[in-house]
Amino acid sequence: MILLLPLCLALSYVLVWQRQGAKDRREALLLSAACFGAATVAVTEVLGALRLLDFTSVAAVWAILAVVLGSKVRASAAIDALRRPGIVVGVDAAERVMSAYVIGILILTAVLAACAPPNTWDSMTYHMSRVAHWVQNGSADFYPTAILRQLHSNPWAEFAILQAQLLSGGDRFANFVQWLCMAGALVGVSAISRQFGADRRAQIFTMVVCASIPMGILQATSTQTDYAVAFWLVCFAYFGVRIIQGSRQQAHFIGLSLSLGLAVLSKGTAYVFAFPFVLALGAWLLVRKEGRHIKAVALACALAFVLNLGHWSRNLSLYASPLGPGAETGGYRYSNDTFSTAVMVSNAVRNAGCTSARRRRSMVRCPRWSRAFTKSSAFRLTIPGPPT
């Protein structure tokens, strides 16, 4: 039954490909992933409200969804969307090496994700613990616990783990939520670089940089939530860039709203990292006086709000705040003790100093071939309109 999940994802990808007609594989993948992530939230929240989060109910819902999606997919579109792309001409040795490097990281991390059960401290204390409670209770409602992170922490990644655990009967596929988010992030960053005018070599290089993040490699084989929120923020940035570059497709506004809602539902840091993008998009709409987009923007805000409504309401009922408590037992605090201009300036200066020191060390250790590559014309990005 676990195959129902990738089947629904594949069918949604084909359906997006079929409806959009843009023949852009990467964009279709990002949009279908956002739709699949929203479906995961809907299945969990609705069945949880009915206390029907069990194998039979979850399998039935995903099976019905697969049938509905399959009925709307044309066979010709499925063959066209899922077939292997033709051989790209003019691929040089550097591009082959970089591509092999990225594929190697994906394969090695996939093997680790499959062979090593979730065993990090956070996985044991609240990521996997809350999933076990949800399975036992048949609902995502709050329950008595001394570890409050099991309750108020943003739950999208665990919602996805819950679906896989119910359909497979164990936690064998728990790590693959983060791994799939890493793979999706690689697709997303390459698509963003393309929108900024990067050629094929630079697009592959962005994937190399993203795949080489040490913490990212560790996170991709665990049940942490950092790569989940990173993937949805990448999707949010991509659709935001498409809209700023003049896209009028409603699908891009839907992808923007779903990605923002899913990012917020994955981890609280999304509030901080999404804010500059939201500000830039809002400023662009005001400067350009894009009044015709008001309805689309309102729809985007509504979708993002609805995705988080269940979790926010549970936090609000227990903590009187949609964000949860400011602190919990064990000395965990989620805010500064003091709020003042002096403290803010002090923290900004210290953070800038740490970042500058790390940058100087990385420049010293940067190999000669890497510095030469970044200075080449292949890596010089411009900001034109959308590619024709």
Side-chain angles (χ1 to χ4, degrees):
M1 285 298 179
I2 186 65
L3 295 179
L4 285 172
L5 297 179
L7 176 62
C8 288
L9 179 59
L11 289 173
S12 63
Y13 164 74
V14 174
L15 188 60
V16 169
W17 175 279
Q18 174 181 305
R19 293 293 177 86
Q20 290 298 103
K23 306 306 179 186
D24 187 337
R25 296 178 185 275
R26 282 178 283 186
E27 182 176 298
L29 181 61
L30 297 179
L31 185 56
S32 60
C35 294
F36 180 81
T40 301
V41 177
V43 171
T44 304
E45 292 287 5
V46 173
L47 292 182
L50 301 173
R51 295 198 172 275
L52 292 175
L53 273 178
D54 52 41
F55 169 80
T56 303
S57 301
V58 170
V61 170
W62 285 110
I64 293 172
L65 183 59
V67 171
V68 172
L69 292 174
S71 65
K72 296 180 178 298
V73 171
R74 296 194 306 268
S76 58
I79 295 174
D80 186 35
L82 297 177
R83 71 181 179 181
R84 188 179 65 178
I87 298 176
V88 181
V89 296
V91 179
D92 58 27
E95 293 172 354
R96 291 193 183 94
V97 170
M98 289 190 293
S99 299
Y101 175 79
V102 173
I103 294 173
I105 289 179
L106 287 173
I107 293 175
L108 291 175
T109 51
V111 172
L112 286 175
C115 296
N119 55 13
T120 63
W121 175 264
D122 287 349
S123 297
M124 298 294 99
T125 54
Y126 65 102
H127 290 307
M128 297 302 296
S129 303
R130 70 197 310 196
V131 173
H133 276 287
W134 295 340
V135 172
Q136 174 180 281
N137 300 337
S139 170
D141 289 343
F142 287 172
Y143 49 86
T145 178
I147 304 176
L148 300 184
R149 298 188 299 283
Q150 294 182 14
L151 306 181
H152 63 77
S153 296
N154 306 49
W156 181 84
E158 289 88 349
F159 281 177
I161 294 172
L162 172 67
Q163 304 297 316
Q165 186 157 323
L166 284 172
L167 293 176
S168 65
D171 60 5
R172 173 65 66 184
F173 300 97
N175 293 330
F176 277 96
V177 173
Q178 280 271 100
W179 183 88
L180 288 172
C181 288
M182 178 187 73
L186 298 181
V187 174
V189 296
S190 68
I192 292 174
S193 65
R194 180 196 60 195
Q195 292 304 123
F196 281 96
D199 61 9
R200 186 176 61 204
R201 175 180 289 190
Q203 292 176 41
I204 298 175
F205 186 73
T206 59
M207 298 175 69
V208 170
V209 173
C210 182
S212 302
I213 300 174
M215 181 55 70
I217 294 176
L218 294 174
Q219 294 265 349
T221 59
S222 74
T223 58
Q224 306 288 101
T225 59
D226 297 78
Y227 238 132
V229 66
F231 171 57
W232 297 126
L233 287 173
V234 166
C235 293
F236 175 69
Y238 171 78
F239 291 116
V241 169
R242 293 286 282 143
I243 292 171
I244 290 176
Q245 289 182 338
S247 172
R248 300 296 183 267
Q249 296 185 36
Q250 188 177 17
H252 291 151
F253 284 93
I254 294 176
L256 182 82
S257 60
L258 293 180
S259 301
L260 177 60
L262 292 169
V264 171
L265 193 60
S266 296
K267 192 163 186 172
T269 50
Y271 292 107
V272 177
F273 290 106
F275 179 75
F277 296 98
V278 174
L279 194 64
L281 187 60
W284 177 82
L285 291 173
L286 291 175
V287 171
R288 294 289 299 272
K289 298 180 180 179
E290 297 284 348
R292 60 183 178 274
H293 287 333
I294 293 179
K295 291 184 178 179
V297 172
L299 173 63
C301 296
L303 285 176
F305 177 81
V306 168
L307 285 175
N308 289 271
L309 184 59
H311 179 63
W312 284 343
S313 63
R314 288 188 290 271
N315 274 338
L316 192 63
S317 64
L318 182 61
Y319 302 112
S321 170
L323 303 181
E328 59 178 279
T329 56
Y332 292 100
R333 297 186 60 84
Y334 299 105
S335 62
N336 290 345
D337 293 328
T338 304
F339 293 90
S340 67
T341 303
V343 172
M344 183 181 69
V345 172
S346 174
N347 287 338
V349 170
R350 284 186 291 178
N351 183 68
C354 293
T355 304
S356 176
R358 286 195 297 267
R359 185 175 182 274
R360 285 196 298 269
R361 288 197 298 269
S362 64
M363 290 295 291
V364 171
R365 298 172 182 175
C366 185
R368 184 176 300 174
W369 67 267
S370 178
R371 294 196 299 270
F373 179 84
T374 55
K375 293 179 181 178
S376 68
S377 60
F379 197 73
R380 294 172 187 168
L381 305 183
T382 57
I383 308 179
T388 57

PDB file of all heavy atoms in Angstrom, residues 101 105 109 182 208-222 227:
ATOM      1  N   TYR A 101      28.517  13.705  -9.649  1.00  0.00           N
ATOM      2  CA  TYR A 101      28.706  14.022  -8.226  1.00  0.00           C
ATOM      3  C   TYR A 101      27.359  14.144  -7.518  1.00  0.00           C
ATOM      4  O   TYR A 101      27.145  13.577  -6.436  1.00  0.00           O
ATOM      5  CB  TYR A 101      29.498  15.319  -8.112  1.00  0.00           C
ATOM      6  CG  TYR A 101      29.670  15.835  -6.707  1.00  0.00           C
ATOM      7  CD1 TYR A 101      30.623  15.288  -5.851  1.00  0.00           C
ATOM      8  CD2 TYR A 101      28.889  16.885  -6.237  1.00  0.00           C
ATOM      9  CE1 TYR A 101      30.775  15.767  -4.559  1.00  0.00           C
ATOM     10  CE2 TYR A 101      29.037  17.373  -4.960  1.00  0.00           C
ATOM     11  CZ  TYR A 101      29.989  16.809  -4.123  1.00  0.00           C
ATOM     12  OH  TYR A 101      30.134  17.294  -2.852  1.00  0.00           O
ATOM     13  N   ILE A 105      25.736  11.601  -4.603  1.00  0.00           N
ATOM     14  CA  ILE A 105      25.251  12.003  -3.289  1.00  0.00           C
ATOM     15  C   ILE A 105      23.830  11.515  -3.069  1.00  0.00           C
ATOM     16  O   ILE A 105      23.478  11.008  -1.992  1.00  0.00           O
ATOM     17  CB  ILE A 105      25.338  13.533  -3.134  1.00  0.00           C
ATOM     18  CG1 ILE A 105      26.803  13.962  -3.017  1.00  0.00           C
ATOM     19  CG2 ILE A 105      24.544  14.002  -1.912  1.00  0.00           C
ATOM     20  CD1 ILE A 105      26.997  15.454  -2.894  1.00  0.00           C
ATOM     21  N   THR A 109      23.027   8.836  -0.058  1.00  0.00           N
ATOM     22  CA  THR A 109      22.116   9.241   1.013  1.00  0.00           C
ATOM     23  C   THR A 109      20.831   8.416   0.989  1.00  0.00           C
ATOM     24  O   THR A 109      20.251   8.147   2.059  1.00  0.00           O
ATOM     25  CB  THR A 109      21.780  10.735   0.890  1.00  0.00           C
ATOM     26  OG1 THR A 109      21.346  11.030  -0.456  1.00  0.00           O
ATOM     27  CG2 THR A 109      22.995  11.589   1.226  1.00  0.00           C
ATOM     28  N   MET A 182      15.243  16.938  -0.177  1.00  0.00           N
ATOM     29  CA  MET A 182      16.548  17.317  -0.697  1.00  0.00           C
ATOM     30  C   MET A 182      16.577  17.211  -2.215  1.00  0.00           C
ATOM     31  O   MET A 182      17.037  18.128  -2.911  1.00  0.00           O
ATOM     32  CB  MET A 182      17.650  16.432  -0.105  1.00  0.00           C
ATOM     33  CG  MET A 182      19.032  16.768  -0.648  1.00  0.00           C
ATOM     34  SD  MET A 182      20.363  15.635  -0.151  1.00  0.00           S
ATOM     35  CE  MET A 182      19.963  14.200  -1.138  1.00  0.00           C
ATOM     36  N   VAL A 208      25.167  21.288  -7.494  1.00  0.00           N
ATOM     37  CA  VAL A 208      26.351  20.793  -6.785  1.00  0.00           C
ATOM     38  C   VAL A 208      26.505  21.513  -5.449  1.00  0.00           C
ATOM     39  O   VAL A 208      26.751  20.889  -4.408  1.00  0.00           O
ATOM     40  CB  VAL A 208      27.610  20.983  -7.647  1.00  0.00           C
ATOM     41  CG1 VAL A 208      28.879  20.706  -6.831  1.00  0.00           C
ATOM     42  CG2 VAL A 208      27.569  20.073  -8.867  1.00  0.00           C
ATOM     43  N   VAL A 209      26.354  22.835  -5.468  1.00  0.00           N
ATOM     44  CA  VAL A 209      26.482  23.611  -4.237  1.00  0.00           C
ATOM     45  C   VAL A 209      25.426  23.191  -3.226  1.00  0.00           C
ATOM     46  O   VAL A 209      25.711  22.982  -2.037  1.00  0.00           O
ATOM     47  CB  VAL A 209      26.378  25.118  -4.545  1.00  0.00           C
ATOM     48  CG1 VAL A 209      26.347  25.925  -3.248  1.00  0.00           C
ATOM     49  CG2 VAL A 209      27.543  25.568  -5.412  1.00  0.00           C
ATOM     50  N   CYS A 210      24.197  23.051  -3.693  1.00  0.00           N
ATOM     51  CA  CYS A 210      23.109  22.664  -2.790  1.00  0.00           C
ATOM     52  C   CYS A 210      23.328  21.253  -2.238  1.00  0.00           C
ATOM     53  O   CYS A 210      23.132  21.019  -1.041  1.00  0.00           O
ATOM     54  CB  CYS A 210      21.779  22.747  -3.530  1.00  0.00           C
ATOM     55  SG  CYS A 210      20.331  22.348  -2.519  1.00  0.00           S
ATOM     56  N   ALA A 211      23.727  20.319  -3.097  1.00  0.00           N
ATOM     57  CA  ALA A 211      23.922  18.934  -2.658  1.00  0.00           C
ATOM     58  C   ALA A 211      25.126  18.791  -1.727  1.00  0.00           C
ATOM     59  O   ALA A 211      25.208  17.812  -0.984  1.00  0.00           O
ATOM     60  CB  ALA A 211      24.103  18.023  -3.870  1.00  0.00           C
ATOM     61  N   SER A 212      26.055  19.751  -1.762  1.00  0.00           N
ATOM     62  CA  SER A 212      27.295  19.633  -0.986  1.00  0.00           C
ATOM     63  C   SER A 212      27.197  20.213   0.415  1.00  0.00           C
ATOM     64  O   SER A 212      28.170  20.149   1.169  1.00  0.00           O
ATOM     65  CB  SER A 212      28.449  20.334  -1.734  1.00  0.00           C
ATOM     66  OG  SER A 212      28.628  19.775  -3.021  1.00  0.00           O
ATOM     67  N   ILE A 213      26.077  20.792   0.773  1.00  0.00           N
ATOM     68  CA  ILE A 213      25.937  21.372   2.110  1.00  0.00           C
ATOM     69  C   ILE A 213      26.084  20.259   3.151  1.00  0.00           C
ATOM     70  O   ILE A 213      25.284  19.312   3.159  1.00  0.00           O
ATOM     71  CB  ILE A 213      24.577  22.065   2.265  1.00  0.00           C
ATOM     72  CG1 ILE A 213      24.435  23.187   1.231  1.00  0.00           C
ATOM     73  CG2 ILE A 213      24.405  22.609   3.681  1.00  0.00           C
ATOM     74  CD1 ILE A 213      23.064  23.824   1.208  1.00  0.00           C
ATOM     75  N   PRO A 214      27.096  20.311   4.008  1.00  0.00           N
ATOM     76  CA  PRO A 214      27.316  19.205   4.960  1.00  0.00           C
ATOM     77  C   PRO A 214      26.102  18.907   5.833  1.00  0.00           C
ATOM     78  O   PRO A 214      25.708  17.752   6.000  1.00  0.00           O
ATOM     79  CB  PRO A 214      28.513  19.697   5.788  1.00  0.00           C
ATOM     80  CG  PRO A 214      29.221  20.663   4.901  1.00  0.00           C
ATOM     81  CD  PRO A 214      28.160  21.338   4.110  1.00  0.00           C
ATOM     82  N   MET A 215      25.509  19.944   6.409  1.00  0.00           N
ATOM     83  CA  MET A 215      24.328  19.727   7.242  1.00  0.00           C
ATOM     84  C   MET A 215      23.175  19.172   6.420  1.00  0.00           C
ATOM     85  O   MET A 215      22.368  18.371   6.920  1.00  0.00           O
ATOM     86  CB  MET A 215      23.923  21.033   7.929  1.00  0.00           C
ATOM     87  CG  MET A 215      22.708  20.902   8.841  1.00  0.00           C
ATOM     88  SD  MET A 215      22.882  19.623  10.106  1.00  0.00           S
ATOM     89  CE  MET A 215      24.126  20.358  11.158  1.00  0.00           C
ATOM     90  N   GLY A 216      23.095  19.569   5.154  1.00  0.00           N
ATOM     91  CA  GLY A 216      22.049  19.042   4.292  1.00  0.00           C
ATOM     92  C   GLY A 216      22.185  17.550   4.065  1.00  0.00           C
ATOM     93  O   GLY A 216      21.190  16.809   4.056  1.00  0.00           O
ATOM     94  N   ILE A 217      23.417  17.077   3.885  1.00  0.00           N
ATOM     95  CA  ILE A 217      23.645  15.644   3.697  1.00  0.00           C
ATOM     96  C   ILE A 217      23.239  14.871   4.947  1.00  0.00           C
ATOM     97  O   ILE A 217      22.634  13.794   4.873  1.00  0.00           O
ATOM     98  CB  ILE A 217      25.125  15.393   3.345  1.00  0.00           C
ATOM     99  CG1 ILE A 217      25.453  16.010   1.970  1.00  0.00           C
ATOM    100  CG2 ILE A 217      25.446  13.903   3.342  1.00  0.00           C
ATOM    101  CD1 ILE A 217      26.906  15.907   1.584  1.00  0.00           C
ATOM    102  N   LEU A 218      23.564  15.416   6.117  1.00  0.00           N
ATOM    103  CA  LEU A 218      23.161  14.759   7.363  1.00  0.00           C
ATOM    104  C   LEU A 218      21.648  14.774   7.530  1.00  0.00           C
ATOM    105  O   LEU A 218      21.044  13.781   7.941  1.00  0.00           O
ATOM    106  CB  LEU A 218      23.834  15.447   8.550  1.00  0.00           C
ATOM    107  CG  LEU A 218      25.355  15.326   8.645  1.00  0.00           C
ATOM    108  CD1 LEU A 218      25.885  16.180   9.786  1.00  0.00           C
ATOM    109  CD2 LEU A 218      25.775  13.876   8.824  1.00  0.00           C
ATOM    110  N   GLN A 219      21.033  15.920   7.222  1.00  0.00           N
ATOM    111  CA  GLN A 219      19.595  16.044   7.396  1.00  0.00           C
ATOM    112  C   GLN A 219      18.825  15.144   6.433  1.00  0.00           C
ATOM    113  O   GLN A 219      17.727  14.673   6.755  1.00  0.00           O
ATOM    114  CB  GLN A 219      19.172  17.495   7.169  1.00  0.00           C
ATOM    115  CG  GLN A 219      19.699  18.460   8.195  1.00  0.00           C
ATOM    116  CD  GLN A 219      18.704  18.720   9.304  1.00  0.00           C
ATOM    117  OE1 GLN A 219      17.549  18.343   9.217  1.00  0.00           O
ATOM    118  NE2 GLN A 219      19.161  19.364  10.364  1.00  0.00           N
ATOM    119  N   ALA A 220      19.371  14.911   5.244  1.00  0.00           N
ATOM    120  CA  ALA A 220      18.657  14.143   4.224  1.00  0.00           C
ATOM    121  C   ALA A 220      18.455  12.686   4.606  1.00  0.00           C
ATOM    122  O   ALA A 220      17.654  11.996   3.979  1.00  0.00           O
ATOM    123  CB  ALA A 220      19.406  14.222   2.893  1.00  0.00           C
ATOM    124  N   THR A 221      19.159  12.217   5.606  1.00  0.00           N
ATOM    125  CA  THR A 221      19.034  10.817   6.025  1.00  0.00           C
ATOM    126  C   THR A 221      18.425  10.713   7.419  1.00  0.00           C
ATOM    127  O   THR A 221      18.667   9.741   8.138  1.00  0.00           O
ATOM    128  CB  THR A 221      20.410  10.133   6.010  1.00  0.00           C
ATOM    129  OG1 THR A 221      21.308  10.839   6.892  1.00  0.00           O
ATOM    130  CG2 THR A 221      20.998  10.130   4.613  1.00  0.00           C
ATOM    131  N   SER A 222      17.645  11.716   7.812  1.00  0.00           N
ATOM    132  CA  SER A 222      17.058  11.716   9.147  1.00  0.00           C
ATOM    133  C   SER A 222      15.607  12.163   9.054  1.00  0.00           C
ATOM    134  O   SER A 222      15.087  12.427   7.972  1.00  0.00           O
ATOM    135  CB  SER A 222      17.839  12.649  10.077  1.00  0.00           C
ATOM    136  OG  SER A 222      17.560  14.005   9.759  1.00  0.00           O
ATOM    137  N   TYR A 227      15.239  20.250   5.913  1.00  0.00           N
ATOM    138  CA  TYR A 227      15.189  20.161   4.456  1.00  0.00           C
ATOM    139  C   TYR A 227      13.753  20.252   3.951  1.00  0.00           C
ATOM    140  O   TYR A 227      13.510  20.694   2.829  1.00  0.00           O
ATOM    141  CB  TYR A 227      15.839  18.862   3.959  1.00  0.00           C
ATOM    142  CG  TYR A 227      16.979  19.119   3.012  1.00  0.00           C
ATOM    143  CD1 TYR A 227      18.202  18.477   3.163  1.00  0.00           C
ATOM    144  CD2 TYR A 227      16.854  20.010   1.959  1.00  0.00           C
ATOM    145  CE1 TYR A 227      19.265  18.724   2.309  1.00  0.00           C
ATOM    146  CE2 TYR A 227      17.905  20.266   1.101  1.00  0.00           C
ATOM    147  CZ  TYR A 227      19.110  19.616   1.284  1.00  0.00           C
ATOM    148  OH  TYR A 227      20.150  19.870   0.434  1.00  0.00           O
TER     149      TYR A 227
END
